[in-house]
Amino acid sequence: VPVPGASADQGGQFLHKRGRVALAQGDFGPAKRFSDAELALVRDASLAPAVLFNALSTAGGARWGLSDYDGAEALFREGLAVASRDAAPDDMDVARARANMGLILQATSHFAQAQTMDEQRLATYQKVLGPDHPRTMPVRRDRGPSYYHQGLDGKARPIPEQVLHQQ
């Protein structure tokens, strides 16, 4: 634990915040170090699944930023499993885990699998937030490359128009 006398939860929160700040700043080396320390702490202390999911997401994001796509994918897959374990199919953490998976699958040219993740995420957002909610716009945008790279140009082209009409 980075602060003497702090609980595992407090230490995890400290490391999570430091890792997220480094990640947001594009400083992926420190983000990886903080997120790896957080992940080890969270696993050792058996903290809540939501805490583990957040740690996995941050660690996966750091690896993505370092172009370690295999490492990112492994962490994002574990995050999806953790988020899905006891959650309803329309849980927002599950949708966020699907977003992580969809993006890494696109980056590694697994477009059909990415499309599936994006479609499931969009269905969750529309069910929970409503079909015209602003948070559905990035999801609609993210589907375009998956369609395009599969040769489904007819599906890829209308997506930006749908997004523009919602703004």
Side-chain angles (χ1 to χ4, degrees), residues 101-123:
M101 281 303 303
L103 293 171
I104 196 70
L105 289 166
Q106 273 187 22
T108 56
S109 301
H110 295 96
F111 300 111
Q113 293 172 318
Q115 178 187 343
T116 300
M117 290 291 163
D118 291 340
E119 295 295 337
Q120 291 171 346
R121 178 173 60 137
L122 180 59

PDB file of all heavy atoms in Angstrom, residues 101-123:
ATOM      1  N   MET A 101     -13.374  -4.274 -25.512  1.00  0.00           N
ATOM      2  CA  MET A 101     -13.119  -5.420 -26.390  1.00  0.00           C
ATOM      3  C   MET A 101     -13.317  -5.047 -27.848  1.00  0.00           C
ATOM      4  O   MET A 101     -12.524  -5.441 -28.715  1.00  0.00           O
ATOM      5  CB  MET A 101     -14.029  -6.599 -26.025  1.00  0.00           C
ATOM      6  CG  MET A 101     -13.580  -7.386 -24.820  1.00  0.00           C
ATOM      7  SD  MET A 101     -11.906  -8.052 -24.946  1.00  0.00           S
ATOM      8  CE  MET A 101     -12.020  -9.023 -26.442  1.00  0.00           C
ATOM      9  N   GLY A 102     -14.367  -4.298 -28.149  1.00  0.00           N
ATOM     10  CA  GLY A 102     -14.630  -3.911 -29.534  1.00  0.00           C
ATOM     11  C   GLY A 102     -13.487  -3.104 -30.123  1.00  0.00           C
ATOM     12  O   GLY A 102     -13.063  -3.332 -31.261  1.00  0.00           O
ATOM     13  N   LEU A 103     -12.942  -2.188 -29.339  1.00  0.00           N
ATOM     14  CA  LEU A 103     -11.851  -1.349 -29.827  1.00  0.00           C
ATOM     15  C   LEU A 103     -10.565  -2.146 -30.032  1.00  0.00           C
ATOM     16  O   LEU A 103      -9.873  -1.969 -31.034  1.00  0.00           O
ATOM     17  CB  LEU A 103     -11.632  -0.174 -28.878  1.00  0.00           C
ATOM     18  CG  LEU A 103     -12.784   0.836 -28.852  1.00  0.00           C
ATOM     19  CD1 LEU A 103     -12.594   1.842 -27.732  1.00  0.00           C
ATOM     20  CD2 LEU A 103     -12.915   1.540 -30.197  1.00  0.00           C
ATOM     21  N   ILE A 104     -10.245  -3.047 -29.097  1.00  0.00           N
ATOM     22  CA  ILE A 104      -9.016  -3.832 -29.268  1.00  0.00           C
ATOM     23  C   ILE A 104      -9.183  -4.831 -30.410  1.00  0.00           C
ATOM     24  O   ILE A 104      -8.239  -5.101 -31.153  1.00  0.00           O
ATOM     25  CB  ILE A 104      -8.573  -4.521 -27.953  1.00  0.00           C
ATOM     26  CG1 ILE A 104      -7.108  -4.993 -28.054  1.00  0.00           C
ATOM     27  CG2 ILE A 104      -9.436  -5.709 -27.601  1.00  0.00           C
ATOM     28  CD1 ILE A 104      -6.107  -3.901 -28.058  1.00  0.00           C
ATOM     29  N   LEU A 105     -10.392  -5.362 -30.597  1.00  0.00           N
ATOM     30  CA  LEU A 105     -10.620  -6.283 -31.710  1.00  0.00           C
ATOM     31  C   LEU A 105     -10.503  -5.559 -33.050  1.00  0.00           C
ATOM     32  O   LEU A 105      -9.962  -6.118 -34.009  1.00  0.00           O
ATOM     33  CB  LEU A 105     -11.979  -6.971 -31.561  1.00  0.00           C
ATOM     34  CG  LEU A 105     -12.048  -7.998 -30.432  1.00  0.00           C
ATOM     35  CD1 LEU A 105     -13.500  -8.384 -30.137  1.00  0.00           C
ATOM     36  CD2 LEU A 105     -11.219  -9.228 -30.747  1.00  0.00           C
ATOM     37  N   GLN A 106     -10.976  -4.325 -33.120  1.00  0.00           N
ATOM     38  CA  GLN A 106     -10.777  -3.533 -34.347  1.00  0.00           C
ATOM     39  C   GLN A 106      -9.294  -3.290 -34.590  1.00  0.00           C
ATOM     40  O   GLN A 106      -8.810  -3.429 -35.711  1.00  0.00           O
ATOM     41  CB  GLN A 106     -11.483  -2.177 -34.252  1.00  0.00           C
ATOM     42  CG  GLN A 106     -12.905  -2.195 -34.678  1.00  0.00           C
ATOM     43  CD  GLN A 106     -13.483  -0.789 -34.717  1.00  0.00           C
ATOM     44  OE1 GLN A 106     -12.764   0.200 -34.813  1.00  0.00           O
ATOM     45  NE2 GLN A 106     -14.801  -0.712 -34.651  1.00  0.00           N
ATOM     46  N   ALA A 107      -8.571  -2.934 -33.540  1.00  0.00           N
ATOM     47  CA  ALA A 107      -7.144  -2.629 -33.675  1.00  0.00           C
ATOM     48  C   ALA A 107      -6.342  -3.841 -34.140  1.00  0.00           C
ATOM     49  O   ALA A 107      -5.304  -3.687 -34.775  1.00  0.00           O
ATOM     50  CB  ALA A 107      -6.583  -2.109 -32.355  1.00  0.00           C
ATOM     51  N   THR A 108      -6.834  -5.033 -33.827  1.00  0.00           N
ATOM     52  CA  THR A 108      -6.138  -6.264 -34.223  1.00  0.00           C
ATOM     53  C   THR A 108      -6.801  -6.925 -35.424  1.00  0.00           C
ATOM     54  O   THR A 108      -6.566  -8.096 -35.695  1.00  0.00           O
ATOM     55  CB  THR A 108      -6.050  -7.242 -33.039  1.00  0.00           C
ATOM     56  OG1 THR A 108      -7.364  -7.513 -32.545  1.00  0.00           O
ATOM     57  CG2 THR A 108      -5.185  -6.665 -31.920  1.00  0.00           C
ATOM     58  N   SER A 109      -7.628  -6.167 -36.133  1.00  0.00           N
ATOM     59  CA  SER A 109      -8.267  -6.605 -37.392  1.00  0.00           C
ATOM     60  C   SER A 109      -9.229  -7.779 -37.241  1.00  0.00           C
ATOM     61  O   SER A 109      -9.420  -8.548 -38.171  1.00  0.00           O
ATOM     62  CB  SER A 109      -7.202  -6.936 -38.452  1.00  0.00           C
ATOM     63  OG  SER A 109      -6.396  -5.812 -38.706  1.00  0.00           O
ATOM     64  N   HIS A 110      -9.853  -7.905 -36.093  1.00  0.00           N
ATOM     65  CA  HIS A 110     -10.909  -8.906 -35.876  1.00  0.00           C
ATOM     66  C   HIS A 110     -12.257  -8.196 -35.985  1.00  0.00           C
ATOM     67  O   HIS A 110     -12.972  -8.013 -34.997  1.00  0.00           O
ATOM     68  CB  HIS A 110     -10.737  -9.584 -34.517  1.00  0.00           C
ATOM     69  CG  HIS A 110      -9.489 -10.387 -34.414  1.00  0.00           C
ATOM     70  ND1 HIS A 110      -8.335  -9.885 -33.869  1.00  0.00           N
ATOM     71  CD2 HIS A 110      -9.209 -11.651 -34.830  1.00  0.00           C
ATOM     72  CE1 HIS A 110      -7.397 -10.815 -33.923  1.00  0.00           C
ATOM     73  NE2 HIS A 110      -7.897 -11.888 -34.507  1.00  0.00           N
ATOM     74  N   PHE A 111     -12.583  -7.793 -37.209  1.00  0.00           N
ATOM     75  CA  PHE A 111     -13.699  -6.873 -37.422  1.00  0.00           C
ATOM     76  C   PHE A 111     -15.069  -7.480 -37.147  1.00  0.00           C
ATOM     77  O   PHE A 111     -15.945  -6.808 -36.615  1.00  0.00           O
ATOM     78  CB  PHE A 111     -13.625  -6.286 -38.828  1.00  0.00           C
ATOM     79  CG  PHE A 111     -12.352  -5.521 -39.055  1.00  0.00           C
ATOM     80  CD1 PHE A 111     -11.384  -5.998 -39.918  1.00  0.00           C
ATOM     81  CD2 PHE A 111     -12.115  -4.340 -38.369  1.00  0.00           C
ATOM     82  CE1 PHE A 111     -10.205  -5.299 -40.112  1.00  0.00           C
ATOM     83  CE2 PHE A 111     -10.939  -3.637 -38.544  1.00  0.00           C
ATOM     84  CZ  PHE A 111      -9.971  -4.120 -39.420  1.00  0.00           C
ATOM     85  N   ALA A 112     -15.279  -8.740 -37.488  1.00  0.00           N
ATOM     86  CA  ALA A 112     -16.590  -9.354 -37.230  1.00  0.00           C
ATOM     87  C   ALA A 112     -16.844  -9.457 -35.729  1.00  0.00           C
ATOM     88  O   ALA A 112     -17.953  -9.180 -35.258  1.00  0.00           O
ATOM     89  CB  ALA A 112     -16.676 -10.730 -37.890  1.00  0.00           C
ATOM     90  N   GLN A 113     -15.811  -9.838 -34.967  1.00  0.00           N
ATOM     91  CA  GLN A 113     -15.962  -9.914 -33.507  1.00  0.00           C
ATOM     92  C   GLN A 113     -16.165  -8.524 -32.916  1.00  0.00           C
ATOM     93  O   GLN A 113     -16.961  -8.350 -31.987  1.00  0.00           O
ATOM     94  CB  GLN A 113     -14.732 -10.574 -32.885  1.00  0.00           C
ATOM     95  CG  GLN A 113     -14.580 -12.036 -33.242  1.00  0.00           C
ATOM     96  CD  GLN A 113     -13.250 -12.583 -32.752  1.00  0.00           C
ATOM     97  OE1 GLN A 113     -12.216 -11.936 -32.858  1.00  0.00           O
ATOM     98  NE2 GLN A 113     -13.289 -13.796 -32.210  1.00  0.00           N
ATOM     99  N   ALA A 114     -15.455  -7.544 -33.451  1.00  0.00           N
ATOM    100  CA  ALA A 114     -15.618  -6.164 -32.976  1.00  0.00           C
ATOM    101  C   ALA A 114     -17.033  -5.682 -33.239  1.00  0.00           C
ATOM    102  O   ALA A 114     -17.650  -5.029 -32.389  1.00  0.00           O
ATOM    103  CB  ALA A 114     -14.604  -5.243 -33.658  1.00  0.00           C
ATOM    104  N   GLN A 115     -17.557  -6.013 -34.405  1.00  0.00           N
ATOM    105  CA  GLN A 115     -18.920  -5.614 -34.750  1.00  0.00           C
ATOM    106  C   GLN A 115     -19.915  -6.202 -33.757  1.00  0.00           C
ATOM    107  O   GLN A 115     -20.828  -5.513 -33.299  1.00  0.00           O
ATOM    108  CB  GLN A 115     -19.256  -6.061 -36.166  1.00  0.00           C
ATOM    109  CG  GLN A 115     -20.682  -5.730 -36.569  1.00  0.00           C
ATOM    110  CD  GLN A 115     -21.047  -6.334 -37.916  1.00  0.00           C
ATOM    111  OE1 GLN A 115     -20.182  -6.729 -38.690  1.00  0.00           O
ATOM    112  NE2 GLN A 115     -22.329  -6.412 -38.187  1.00  0.00           N
ATOM    113  N   THR A 116     -19.734  -7.458 -33.393  1.00  0.00           N
ATOM    114  CA  THR A 116     -20.629  -8.098 -32.423  1.00  0.00           C
ATOM    115  C   THR A 116     -20.593  -7.358 -31.088  1.00  0.00           C
ATOM    116  O   THR A 116     -21.643  -7.079 -30.501  1.00  0.00           O
ATOM    117  CB  THR A 116     -20.237  -9.580 -32.225  1.00  0.00           C
ATOM    118  OG1 THR A 116     -20.343 -10.252 -33.483  1.00  0.00           O
ATOM    119  CG2 THR A 116     -21.118 -10.254 -31.199  1.00  0.00           C
ATOM    120  N   MET A 117     -19.385  -7.031 -30.610  1.00  0.00           N
ATOM    121  CA  MET A 117     -19.257  -6.298 -29.346  1.00  0.00           C
ATOM    122  C   MET A 117     -19.940  -4.932 -29.447  1.00  0.00           C
ATOM    123  O   MET A 117     -20.654  -4.518 -28.533  1.00  0.00           O
ATOM    124  CB  MET A 117     -17.787  -6.106 -28.977  1.00  0.00           C
ATOM    125  CG  MET A 117     -17.085  -7.356 -28.562  1.00  0.00           C
ATOM    126  SD  MET A 117     -17.705  -7.958 -26.981  1.00  0.00           S
ATOM    127  CE  MET A 117     -17.078  -9.619 -27.042  1.00  0.00           C
ATOM    128  N   ASP A 118     -19.718  -4.233 -30.563  1.00  0.00           N
ATOM    129  CA  ASP A 118     -20.313  -2.909 -30.739  1.00  0.00           C
ATOM    130  C   ASP A 118     -21.835  -2.975 -30.807  1.00  0.00           C
ATOM    131  O   ASP A 118     -22.528  -2.122 -30.244  1.00  0.00           O
ATOM    132  CB  ASP A 118     -19.758  -2.227 -31.996  1.00  0.00           C
ATOM    133  CG  ASP A 118     -18.296  -1.846 -31.850  1.00  0.00           C
ATOM    134  OD1 ASP A 118     -17.813  -1.741 -30.705  1.00  0.00           O
ATOM    135  OD2 ASP A 118     -17.635  -1.664 -32.892  1.00  0.00           O
ATOM    136  N   GLU A 119     -22.372  -3.979 -31.487  1.00  0.00           N
ATOM    137  CA  GLU A 119     -23.826  -4.124 -31.578  1.00  0.00           C
ATOM    138  C   GLU A 119     -24.440  -4.410 -30.211  1.00  0.00           C
ATOM    139  O   GLU A 119     -25.484  -3.859 -29.853  1.00  0.00           O
ATOM    140  CB  GLU A 119     -24.201  -5.231 -32.575  1.00  0.00           C
ATOM    141  CG  GLU A 119     -23.809  -4.948 -34.018  1.00  0.00           C
ATOM    142  CD  GLU A 119     -24.539  -3.761 -34.623  1.00  0.00           C
ATOM    143  OE1 GLU A 119     -25.629  -3.391 -34.149  1.00  0.00           O
ATOM    144  OE2 GLU A 119     -23.985  -3.175 -35.577  1.00  0.00           O
ATOM    145  N   GLN A 120     -23.777  -5.266 -29.420  1.00  0.00           N
ATOM    146  CA  GLN A 120     -24.273  -5.567 -28.072  1.00  0.00           C
ATOM    147  C   GLN A 120     -24.196  -4.338 -27.170  1.00  0.00           C
ATOM    148  O   GLN A 120     -25.109  -4.067 -26.392  1.00  0.00           O
ATOM    149  CB  GLN A 120     -23.474  -6.729 -27.463  1.00  0.00           C
ATOM    150  CG  GLN A 120     -23.727  -8.052 -28.147  1.00  0.00           C
ATOM    151  CD  GLN A 120     -22.779  -9.139 -27.682  1.00  0.00           C
ATOM    152  OE1 GLN A 120     -21.761  -8.888 -27.042  1.00  0.00           O
ATOM    153  NE2 GLN A 120     -23.115 -10.381 -28.016  1.00  0.00           N
ATOM    154  N   ARG A 121     -23.126  -3.586 -27.306  1.00  0.00           N
ATOM    155  CA  ARG A 121     -22.978  -2.358 -26.509  1.00  0.00           C
ATOM    156  C   ARG A 121     -24.055  -1.350 -26.890  1.00  0.00           C
ATOM    157  O   ARG A 121     -24.679  -0.737 -26.026  1.00  0.00           O
ATOM    158  CB  ARG A 121     -21.591  -1.767 -26.730  1.00  0.00           C
ATOM    159  CG  ARG A 121     -21.371  -0.477 -25.986  1.00  0.00           C
ATOM    160  CD  ARG A 121     -19.948   0.006 -26.065  1.00  0.00           C
ATOM    161  NE  ARG A 121     -19.485   0.260 -27.406  1.00  0.00           N
ATOM    162  CZ  ARG A 121     -18.760   1.313 -27.761  1.00  0.00           C
ATOM    163  NH1 ARG A 121     -18.420   2.213 -26.868  1.00  0.00           N
ATOM    164  NH2 ARG A 121     -18.358   1.470 -28.992  1.00  0.00           N
ATOM    165  N   LEU A 122     -24.302  -1.179 -28.188  1.00  0.00           N
ATOM    166  CA  LEU A 122     -25.329  -0.245 -28.632  1.00  0.00           C
ATOM    167  C   LEU A 122     -26.705  -0.663 -28.119  1.00  0.00           C
ATOM    168  O   LEU A 122     -27.477   0.170 -27.644  1.00  0.00           O
ATOM    169  CB  LEU A 122     -25.343  -0.134 -30.161  1.00  0.00           C
ATOM    170  CG  LEU A 122     -26.380   0.826 -30.745  1.00  0.00           C
ATOM    171  CD1 LEU A 122     -26.165   2.243 -30.226  1.00  0.00           C
ATOM    172  CD2 LEU A 122     -26.329   0.790 -32.270  1.00  0.00           C
ATOM    173  N   ALA A 123     -27.001  -1.952 -28.178  1.00  0.00           N
ATOM    174  CA  ALA A 123     -28.297  -2.440 -27.687  1.00  0.00           C
ATOM    175  C   ALA A 123     -28.469  -2.112 -26.200  1.00  0.00           C
ATOM    176  O   ALA A 123     -29.548  -1.690 -25.770  1.00  0.00           O
ATOM    177  CB  ALA A 123     -28.425  -3.940 -27.934  1.00  0.00           C
TER     178      ALA A 123
END
